[in-house]
Amino acid sequence: MRKSLFIISFLLLAAVQAWATHLRAGEITAVRISQTSLKFRFTIVIYSDTGSGVQVADGGVLNFGQGRTIGSSGGGNRQKFIEAAVFFEEKFIGNNTALTIFQFEHTFDGPGVYVVSYTEQNRNNEILNINGGSSQEVPFHIETVLRIDPGLGINATPQLTIPPIDRGCIGARFVHNPGAYDPDGDSLAYRMIPLMQDRGVNVNGYVPLNDPSISTIREGGGSPARFEIDPITGDFTWDAPMVAGEYNAAFIVEEWRFSEITGKYELLGYVTRDMQILIEDCDNERPQLEIPADTCIVAGTLLEAVIRGTDPDNNKVMVEAFGGIFGLNPNAAQFIPEPAFKTQPVDQTFRWQTDLSHVRRRPYEIQFKVSDKPNDPQAPSLTDFATWYVTVVAPAPTGLNSAIANARSIQLTWDDYVGRNFNPMMKIYRKVDSYDFDPENCNIGIPEGSGYELIDQVPINQTNYVDTNNVRPGVNYCYRIVAEFPLPKGGTSYASIETCTIIPLDVPAITNVSVENTDISNGQMFVKWVSPLEIDKTLFPPPFRYELIRYDGLSGNGGRTLVTSTADTTFTDTGLNTRDKAYQYQVKFYDAGNNLIDSSSVASSVWLSALGLVQAVELTWQANVPWTNKVQEYPYHYIMRNRTDAAANDENNFVLIDSVKVTDTGFIYFDDGSFNNTALLDDREYCYIVTTQGSYGNDLIPAPLLNQSQKLCVQPNDNVAPEVPEIDVPVDAEEINGMIVLESPNCGDLENLGCAFSNFSNTLSWTANDIDGDIASYNIYFSPSGADGTFTLVGNSRTTTFTHTGLSSYKGCYRVSALDRSNNESSLSATVCFDNCPNYELPNTFTPNGDGLNDTFRAFDQPNGKCPRFVKSIEFKVFNRWGGKEIFSYSTQGKAEPNFFIDWNGRDSSGNELPEGTYYYHAIVTFDVFNPKKKTMEFKNWVKIVR
């Protein structure tokens, strides 16, 4: 019995030693090492306590998230890890700490999201924010998430270059940075997480470092303590420790990549870092860093800078640099001389010879670390971090020139691009009138507010382009080109020099479409144009006669009206609803022989919109014009408003309250009464008029072109919703199951459309009682079934009509709401549905003789003008001529690709050819419709087989 007790005691002692405490910190990173398979190399970095006597991985489990694991929680795994690893290293790094590195390779079966994790018993003991310091029984767990998606390209995880163990002082702000970089140039983001002990399991008894039981003070005084990570820079801050000891914290480094498929940034995965902080009692002040301002540099340029470290205690300091650029191939960055503790101040030289392979959208993040060396060799070193952002920009394209190609096109040419081997696209931008800026000093690509618009992009080996995109005479068209590098790294070049060209003004050019009076029925619009000043008067002799055409709205050709025929170049159009409508105008002109020569571009009035906020109003405006309203020489638009008196009672007098520099901020203005320090009142309407300034950039056409918007009135903090709109329906509309169901008015068009046509549309109109005169727009909601809770927003309209396009059928239901200028939304209108117009017709003869003509019994289709329309299912049976015996059947039920034409080949169910003669058939066709009377159609008829 004594022997048995001895053996049991020995085994228990062995178990305790096997699970002794030792793990401090670590992370897992990954790099894809194959272009043709999903093969990755994973690097596991573990920091452990050397005083435990336990070796790393003895009880560890590596899980690749796809069924493969290495090791087990039972222990005795270290040799398995070493044998499975493609690389293994272990070394002592001081402070009772060892660094262990394993590298493993794994090939995934296919795309997916994989969680790769490492779990091991146990953490080192006396971690003060885990179970009050009893941390020896708590497992250590780290994980990395990989998203393998062919649509997002090849990927590697973020790489962390600064070790996860640091020392700090009581009462001093602790700062750490992981020195993360992404090999693919993806965007990184950081966030704190709780410590973990297994997959999906947080550490029990974990306390965050700003918990009052841990810390309540800050270095500069005040409370509470700070414990956070900067989501952009990755600076981890604990301000400030109060008690000496060991602490652990965890955060993740996410990587995001822009997807051209979804048009947004997609999360590719993340790396988890579990780190340890050693806090000691010390009398020391933090060293300081001096780094350059963030910068941009043209690829191919040598970047040099001096990084300085100083210390207020006059301790020796060491300055280090971290980041992916120190491992680049070719042309890695240098940090010289070799970092070492030296008498302060310490100057280190950063040197980087950039090249075109370094171009990318995201800036390079270079982390600098300064550490001091106190006179007491046992005292902890204090550190500080700083991040320098350097963007490598592709050089600007060169040699851009423009010239007239013909009367309606402009030819562009440029030089071969220096970076064409990296396969960028050449983007072509155009604006009306010149815009001068310096494409340098981080002014990358085309600046916001310049008015340039992207008109096309071409392959990098193309060095010419003909612009035929609505090019009009008399307009000064200016161009710049920019090279855009492919994802995932991306990158935009500096813009080229500007080139401008004007086609001679041989047509009229509208210069003014300005609201003279705002009214629902007596509104007035002032229209002005210049004559065709550069026309060949020998070919087209004057005097000229002009026809002024008006259209409703900001775009389109609705409401076309001939307003006047005149020899003048100005006209005031009256009797308009300028309160609720914008208008467009176009000028046609005739020569002395009354021959129509040409017409001007279409130009709209300025349409002002507003949003009522709490004691404030937000204004926006727009115009569809051939000139530009973003003019560098005349950049300001002017804001007029009534009720500028102290009591805000004067409704009739409009005063200039402010101007907007639209080249900087765009067509938007926020009025909170700041211009006269008088807050807007919520119990009355304020009215506004905006005056724009524009230009053709042509010396023959005087500038600026001043045009005025309609008068628009809005009440701040209006919380009264508009009246509910009412969708227009015929008086004889049918009601089915509580819904108004209309046959689509487009049914008659189907005879001219192919049987495979599936791009349907519905148009609805409605009326609204605009009691307050403040309806700004309407929301349109759609449901395929009309059931409550199934309606979704499909559009917004400023007018009382809407066309819903891209539908697979006509069937569907609509509800409409009204929005006012304070964004109050009315209740939804009653439900109105459109129904499908079903059709199905069968023949009475077919000739299955293999000649390719009428070989199957098939529903009518084109060119008969008849097609199976909106069919859900078919049940078809054929009987002998007496209708007694079934000889063939066909059903679309359960078929992934049903044939609604039937296409019976004249054979029985066993595949035997049937003889000529007459047969009886029975077919039931079910349609996708609301109307139960049209839901099914039954066919009982004869069919003759002729061979």
Side-chain angles (χ1 to χ4, degrees):
M1 185 169 181
R2 286 181 191 152
K3 185 176 181 181
S4 298
L5 288 172
F6 174 78
I7 293 172
I8 293 170
S9 299
F10 177 81
L11 291 174
L12 288 173
L13 177 61
V16 169
Q17 290 178 343
W19 297 113
T21 63
H22 65 134
L23 296 189
R24 295 183 181 273
E27 69 251 0
I28 305 171
T29 57
V31 176
R32 184 166 169 178
I33 58 175
S34 172
Q35 299 290 321
T36 57
S37 70
L38 302 180
K39 187 176 184 179
F40 286 79
R41 177 176 293 130
F42 292 90
T43 301
I44 304 175
V45 178
I46 300 293
Y47 293 81
S48 60
D49 184 351
T50 57
S52 69
V54 179
Q55 294 179 307
V56 170
D58 194 48
V61 179
L62 173 62
N63 189 334
F64 290 97
Q66 201 185 36
R68 179 191 174 195
T69 60
I70 299 176
S72 70
S73 58
N77 304 323
R78 181 176 171 85
Q79 190 59 34
K80 295 179 184 178
F81 271 78
I82 294 173
E83 291 173 358
V86 296
F87 175 83
F88 168 72
E89 180 183 15
E90 195 164 48
K91 60 184 177 182
F92 177 70
I93 60 173
N95 294 320
N96 294 322
T97 302
L99 168 64
T100 304
I101 301 175
F102 289 102
Q103 286 187 342
F104 300 93
E105 293 179 358
H106 177 75
T107 302
F108 292 97
D109 294 340
V113 177
Y114 301 99
V115 180
V116 181
S117 64
Y118 179 80
T119 311
E120 183 177 349
Q121 292 275 9
N122 278 16
R123 294 176 182 268
N124 65 302
N125 200 18
E126 298 182 353
I127 301 174
L128 297 186
N129 63 325
I130 300 179
N131 291 335
S134 298
S135 54
Q136 70 273 20
E137 296 298 329
V138 178
F140 175 85
H141 177 85
I142 50 177
E143 62 186 36
T144 286
V145 172
L146 273 176
R147 176 181 174 185
I148 303 175
D149 187 336
L152 293 171
I154 292 176
N155 180 51
T157 68
Q159 307 295 305
L160 282 55
T161 61
I162 300 177
I165 294 185
D166 264 329
R167 302 169 74 188
C169 291
I170 293 174
R173 175 171 49 88
F174 172 82
V175 181
H176 170 80
N177 190 292
Y181 73 94
D182 191 272
D184 309 305
D186 295 322
S187 179
L188 301 183
Y190 304 81
R191 60 183 174 92
M192 303 296 304
I193 61 168
L195 297 173
M196 301 180 71
Q197 64 183 51
D198 206 341
R199 290 189 171 211
V201 181
N202 295 335
V203 166
N204 293 322
Y206 162 71
V207 180
L209 299 182
N210 60 344
D211 188 276
S213 65
I214 299 291
S215 179
T216 60
I217 63 171
R218 296 186 184 182
E219 180 183 275
S223 62
R226 291 172 57 213
F227 170 51
E228 61 191 18
I229 192 167
D230 188 298
I232 298 175
T233 66
D235 286 341
F236 171 103
T237 303
W238 178 17
D239 189 6
M242 289 178 60
V243 179
E246 297 178 359
Y247 302 84
N248 269 60
F251 58 87
I252 63 174
V253 186
E254 299 174 337
E255 57 174 335
W256 296 78
R257 179 176 295 178
F258 185 80
S259 168
E260 293 181 323
I261 298 173
T262 64
K264 62 181 182 180
Y265 278 89
E266 299 285 347
L267 178 63
L268 285 178
Y270 59 78
V271 171
T272 305
R273 163 166 280 190
D274 190 319
M275 68 171 295
Q276 190 163 88
I277 307 164
L278 286 65
I279 300 300
E280 303 171 51
D281 190 5
C282 50
D283 183 16
N284 192 10
E285 290 190 57
R286 181 177 292 99
Q288 299 171 347
L289 273 171
E290 298 176 22
I291 69 171
D294 298 340
T295 189
C296 296
I297 186 168
V298 176
T301 306
L302 175 66
L303 178 62
E304 283 193 330
V306 173
I307 313 301
R308 169 166 289 191
T310 58
D311 187 81
D313 298 323
N314 204 32
N315 292 327
K316 289 185 176 181
V317 296
M318 177 171 63
V319 180
E320 299 171 276
F322 304 89
I325 62 173
F326 296 102
L328 291 174
N329 184 19
N331 295 348
Q334 298 174 292
F335 199 57
I336 50 180
E338 187 72 22
F341 283 105
K342 303 174 186 176
T343 302
Q344 67 98 32
V346 171
D347 289 340
Q348 293 279 135
T349 299
F350 173 87
R351 181 177 295 136
W352 186 23
Q353 177 59 59
T354 63
D355 61 44
L356 279 163
S357 69
H358 300 148
V359 170
R360 73 180 199 185
R361 175 187 294 180
R362 296 282 305 163
Y364 290 88
E365 300 176 20
I366 308 155
Q367 287 86 19
F368 297 104
K369 179 182 180 181
V370 60
S371 308
D372 67 359
K373 186 176 184 181
N375 294 326
D376 181 357
Q378 301 302 315
S381 170
L382 282 184
T383 62
D384 203 4
F385 291 85
T387 302
W388 189 26
Y389 293 92
V390 175
T391 303
V392 179
V393 186
T398 59
L400 180 64
N401 285 292
S402 59
I404 297 172
N406 57 46
R408 292 294 185 272
S409 63
I410 295 174
Q411 172 79 53
L412 302 178
T413 58
W414 58 89
D415 297 337
D416 281 332
Y417 186 57
V418 63
R420 59 187 177 276
N421 290 341
F422 295 91
N423 201 33
M425 294 293 293
M426 191 65 77
K427 292 191 169 184
I428 303 166
Y429 291 85
R430 185 184 82 181
K431 79 177 298 290
V432 175
D433 201 5
S434 176
Y435 186 87
D436 186 33
F437 72 95
D438 292 324
E440 56 184 21
N441 300 325
C442 292
N443 198 0
I444 301 169
I446 300 297
E448 292 288 336
S450 64
Y452 278 100
E453 295 181 352
L454 177 66
I455 61 169
D456 212 340
Q457 60 182 21
V458 298
I460 197 62
N461 58 358
Q462 183 173 326
T463 58
N464 61 83
Y465 180 79
V466 178
D467 181 16
T468 59
N469 184 17
N470 195 29
V471 174
R472 301 293 298 181
V475 181
N476 186 21
Y477 291 107
C478 298
Y479 301 85
R480 290 183 190 262
I481 56 175
V482 170
E484 187 74 30
F485 284 67
L487 295 174
K489 288 177 63 175
T492 304
S493 76
Y494 284 120
S496 71
I497 61 168
E498 184 182 67
T499 179
C500 300
T501 294
I502 303 175
I503 294 176
L505 181 59
D506 58 0
V507 298
I510 296 177
T511 58
N512 296 88
V513 182
S514 186
V515 180
E516 295 285 282
N517 181 50
T518 301
D519 192 84
I520 194 169
S521 58
N522 293 313
Q524 296 182 0
M525 197 78 71
F526 174 71
V527 186
K528 183 179 180 180
W529 58 95
V530 297
S531 60
L533 300 176
E534 296 178 283
I535 197 170
D536 187 335
K537 294 182 179 178
T538 302
L539 295 176
F540 308 103
F544 300 124
R545 178 175 65 85
Y546 304 99
E547 287 184 351
L548 182 63
I549 311 297
R550 182 182 67 229
Y551 304 93
D552 291 345
L554 281 168
S555 61
N557 54 9
R560 185 182 188 279
T561 304
L562 173 61
V563 176
T564 188
S565 178
T566 178
D568 204 350
T569 57
T570 63
F571 185 79
T572 299
D573 195 8
T574 60
L576 304 174
N577 179 6
T578 51
R579 190 195 74 172
D580 300 322
K581 286 185 179 182
Y583 293 95
Q584 304 167 81
Y585 292 87
Q586 184 178 36
V587 177
K588 296 180 177 292
F589 80 109
Y590 299 77
D591 64 10
N594 206 32
N595 298 303
L596 174 62
I597 307 305
D598 208 334
S599 59
S600 72
S601 297
V602 176
S604 79
S605 58
V606 180
W607 182 252
L608 178 62
S609 302
L611 178 62
L613 306 171
V614 177
Q615 293 188 315
V617 171
E618 182 181 272
L619 301 176
T620 57
W621 56 98
Q622 58 183 314
N624 183 16
V625 293
W627 61 87
T628 178
N629 282 321
K630 284 185 176 180
V631 187
Q632 200 167 26
E633 189 176 356
Y634 312 105
Y636 294 99
H637 291 190
Y638 302 105
I639 313 298
M640 307 280 289
R641 200 195 79 190
N642 68 354
R643 299 188 187 273
T644 57
D645 56 308
N649 288 327
D650 189 352
E651 298 181 54
N652 299 319
N653 290 315
F654 282 77
V655 174
L656 176 66
I657 64 167
D658 211 341
S659 60
V660 177
K661 192 174 184 181
V662 296
T663 53
D664 289 344
T665 62
F667 303 143
I668 188 169
Y669 178 73
F670 183 79
D671 180 19
D672 60 357
S674 298
F675 78 98
N676 64 355
N677 296 316
T678 304
L680 273 62
L681 303 177
D682 291 341
D683 63 351
R684 62 202 66 194
E685 281 192 331
Y686 292 84
C687 300
Y688 299 84
I689 298 171
V690 171
T691 300
T692 62
Q693 295 197 98
S695 173
Y696 278 95
N698 187 337
D699 292 339
L700 296 176
I701 304 175
L705 309 178
L706 301 178
N707 287 283
Q708 192 167 273
S709 74
Q710 88 280 17
K711 179 178 72 175
L712 179 64
C713 301
V714 60
Q715 181 178 335
N717 204 29
D718 173 17
N719 57 12
V720 179
E723 295 291 309
V724 180
E726 184 177 342
I727 300 177
D728 299 335
V729 296
V731 293
D732 58 348
E734 188 173 4
E735 184 173 326
I736 299 175
N737 296 327
M739 304 181 301
I740 301 296
V741 179
L742 312 176
E743 182 177 282
S744 172
N746 299 324
C747 287
D749 298 335
L750 292 179
E751 288 190 5
N752 301 317
L753 300 173
C755 294
F757 180 81
S758 60
N759 187 16
F760 299 93
S761 64
N762 290 320
T763 299
L764 60 155
S765 61
W766 57 90
T767 56
N769 188 6
D770 192 4
I771 296 175
D772 298 322
D774 65 346
I775 292 180
S777 65
Y778 302 89
N779 279 339
I780 297 89
Y781 296 85
F782 173 76
S783 165
S785 67
D788 290 341
T790 62
F791 284 85
T792 59
L793 180 66
V794 294
N796 178 270
S797 175
R798 285 196 175 93
T799 66
T800 56
T801 62
F802 176 76
T803 299
H804 190 193
T805 60
L807 299 171
S808 60
S809 76
Y810 294 128
K811 183 188 172 192
C813 301
Y814 296 87
R815 304 181 77 180
V816 178
S817 68
L819 292 167
D820 67 15
R821 297 190 190 105
S822 294
N823 221 25
N824 298 309
E825 185 172 13
S826 73
S827 300
L828 297 182
S829 68
T831 300
V832 174
C833 306
F834 290 98
D835 208 355
N836 284 327
C837 28
N839 185 73
Y840 202 83
E841 296 185 42
L842 290 168
N844 55 17
T845 302
F846 71 111
T847 58
N849 54 14
D851 64 357
L853 300 174
N854 200 29
D855 277 339
T856 63
F857 179 77
R858 176 180 175 86
F860 284 126
D861 62 356
Q862 301 285 13
N864 298 343
K866 302 171 183 179
C867 294
R869 298 288 187 188
F870 313 113
V871 178
K872 285 181 68 176
S873 65
I874 292 175
E875 297 289 335
F876 175 72
K877 295 181 180 180
V878 181
F879 304 88
N880 59 21
R881 63 184 302 170
W882 301 279
K885 181 182 177 183
E886 179 183 312
I887 55 179
F888 176 80
S889 67
Y890 172 76
S891 174
T892 60
Q893 293 290 342
K895 293 189 180 296
E897 297 183 4
N899 181 0
F900 293 128
F901 289 96
I902 299 178
D903 282 322
W904 175 44
N905 60 6
R907 294 176 181 269
D908 63 18
S909 297
S910 299
N912 300 312
E913 188 177 278
L914 294 172
E916 284 189 350
T918 302
Y919 298 85
Y920 176 75
Y921 70 84
H922 181 206
I924 298 176
V925 182
T926 304
F927 297 101
D928 183 18
V929 291
F930 287 121
N931 192 337
K933 299 175 184 177
K934 299 181 179 180
K935 201 167 190 69
T936 60
M937 184 180 293
E938 188 173 12
F939 297 84
K940 294 181 178 180
N941 211 337
W942 302 94
V943 60
K944 187 174 183 180
I945 296 178
V946 179
R947 295 191 183 279

